[in-house]
Amino acid sequence: MNFFFSLITSEIVVLFNVFYYICGMAPRLLMYFPENDLALAAGVASYTPPPAARALHRAGEALPLWMGRPGDRFVCSGLHNGWYTEICRRFNIIDVDVYDHSDASLEASPWGWSAASRRALENAGYPLSQMPDDRALAHLRELSHRRTAAALHAALAPLLPFPITEAATEARDAAAVENYLDSRPAVIAKAPWSCSGRGLVRSSSMPRHTFVQQCAGIIRRQGSVMLEPEHDKMLDFALLYELDGHGAASFRGISVFATTPRGGYTSNTVASQQRLHAIVEDAAGAGRVDTLAVALARVLPQVVPGYRGALGVDMLVTSRGMIDATVELNLRHTMGFVALEFSRYLAPDVIAALDVIPSPASPAAGAVVRNGLLVSGEIDLTPPCKDFAFRARVYKQ
């Protein structure tokens, strides 16, 4: 049985990538839109993100270059031609280019869907008629609520031959928050629509009355708050999928990543799927990640009906070896997808870190690239920027 499941995380990933990008799939229009979860919380097309989110967006506009396949295009307001030409030459990237503001034959594939990301694609010249309508976007917004992760837990847990940590609970008033606190020593509260460490409140870091007040504020703004026990974490990882909107979920791969103590994303491990599989198994136990991958492919189309696109399920392994299998459900691309795609440009047996560096002191020091593959050193995956660097750094050969 373990031999069968191991195919899911290696050969099947390769076969899916070949099928998806070569066997008749339409070229895509990609767009980096990291503020999408914040836009979902606002629920308006004219959403203006905070300065830090705008800076992250500007710095990362070229990231889809590494996710693209021949024929794909990406939205970018400005790209240094010398940097782009040199990157494509060194890594043998062919026919992945900036969107020409007119080609309607591409399939829109933004970082995530919201009224704001649809407006951004429309402003870039993509036809409004070929994007989700208001009703579809409202459905996606509801599916993006954190209560969907609790629904996923309910569908997933009965299929697993091992226990997982308890599901999140939705609280709609301060009294429910108080009751939840009474039976648990440490609690994390999560805003229904939030991302990368934002909207998270920990009872262990403040007096009880302050925690309840902050939860009440989230409830006033977003209608409820999701509560779950805080775990002593040993490893963050995610399982990545592509859903076709018609009942099929295809497993893409494993993501192993790191966060700040407050939960904000910092980096991904970039390596072969076999290596990432081994990292997760060492922490979670033999066979468990494979079992999870198969079970999720079965239940995801039921939990997010009609959804088409990239999807990541964030998980963690506790210090006691338990798996929290539904930490977050991301109905969008994530940095895990960037790391998965960039792994195509690593030399065999190389392990790298994909770091997001605020206010970098200097550009990457330099990289050795042979035959289109990163062998050693470090390289910036986007043009140099004072606000953020997206840097791949080899640390094991």
Side-chain angles (χ1 to χ4, degrees), residues 45-328:
S46 56
Y47 172 72
T48 300
R54 292 200 300 271
L56 187 67
H57 182 135
R58 288 192 302 269
E61 278 191 321
L63 275 180
L65 173 64
W66 303 99
M67 302 170 68
R69 304 290 172 132
D72 288 348
R73 298 293 179 262
F74 59 96
V75 175
C76 190
S77 57
L79 186 62
H80 189 281
N81 189 62
W83 177 90
Y84 166 78
T85 301
E86 180 65 7
I87 287 291
C88 289
R89 182 191 67 79
R90 295 185 74 186
F91 288 91
N92 299 329
I93 299 175
I94 300 172
D95 194 22
V96 180
D97 208 340
V98 175
Y99 185 50
D100 65 3
H101 303 286
S102 64
D103 188 349
S105 68
L106 303 168
E107 179 178 354
S109 182
W111 193 253
W113 281 111
S114 62
S117 68
R118 184 181 66 180
R119 173 71 61 83
L121 281 170
E122 184 183 11
N123 290 341
Y126 192 78
L128 180 63
S129 60
Q130 293 182 206
M131 292 187 281
D133 60 19
D134 290 345
R135 182 177 179 181
L137 289 179
H139 175 63
L140 284 172
R141 184 175 186 270
E142 285 305 307
L143 290 179
S144 298
H145 191 292
R146 288 187 190 272
R147 70 166 69 98
T148 306
L152 177 61
H153 186 286
L156 178 65
L159 301 182
L160 302 175
F162 52 86
I164 55 178
T165 62
E166 68 176 278
T169 296
E170 187 171 9
R172 299 180 184 275
D173 55 46
V177 176
E178 294 273 15
N179 290 338
Y180 193 89
L181 281 169
D182 287 341
S183 60
R184 293 164 180 85
V187 174
I188 296 181
K190 298 180 178 179
W193 291 282
S194 57
C195 64
S196 192
R198 294 176 180 271
L200 272 59
V201 184
R202 288 174 166 79
S203 67
S204 59
S205 65
M206 62 189 67
R208 178 180 173 123
H209 72 275
T210 304
F211 178 80
V212 174
Q213 287 176 348
Q214 294 202 18
C215 288
I218 293 172
I219 293 169
R220 283 195 304 273
R221 294 188 296 273
Q222 297 194 18
S224 66
V225 66
M226 303 301 297
L227 304 173
E228 58 190 62
E230 183 173 7
H231 301 291
D232 184 13
K233 181 176 60 178
M234 183 166 56
L235 178 72
D236 283 306
F237 72 102
L239 301 184
L240 309 177
Y241 292 83
E242 192 84 25
L243 274 65
D244 70 355
H246 301 289
S250 299
F251 181 63
R252 291 293 314 279
I254 299 170
S255 165
V256 174
F257 60 96
T259 61
T260 67
R262 294 179 60 86
Y265 172 87
T266 59
S267 66
N268 256 89
T269 300
V270 188
S272 69
Q273 282 295 299
Q274 289 84 354
R275 280 188 179 269
L276 297 180
H277 184 273
I279 291 170
V280 177
E281 279 216 331
D282 284 347
R288 290 189 171 187
V289 66
D290 306 301
T291 303
L292 281 165
V294 174
L296 280 170
R298 178 177 170 184
V299 301
L300 279 170
Q302 304 165 21
V303 176
V304 289
Y307 177 71
R308 174 181 173 85
L311 181 151
V313 184
D314 287 356
M315 306 184 180
L316 63 82
V317 183
T318 73
S319 60
R320 300 176 62 183
M322 289 279 286
I323 299 176
D324 186 342
T326 54
V327 175
E328 286 191 17

Side-chain angles (χ1 to χ4, degrees), residues 33 35 38-39 42-50 53 116:
F33 201 75
E35 66 268 39
L38 299 175
V44 295
S46 56
Y47 172 72
T48 300

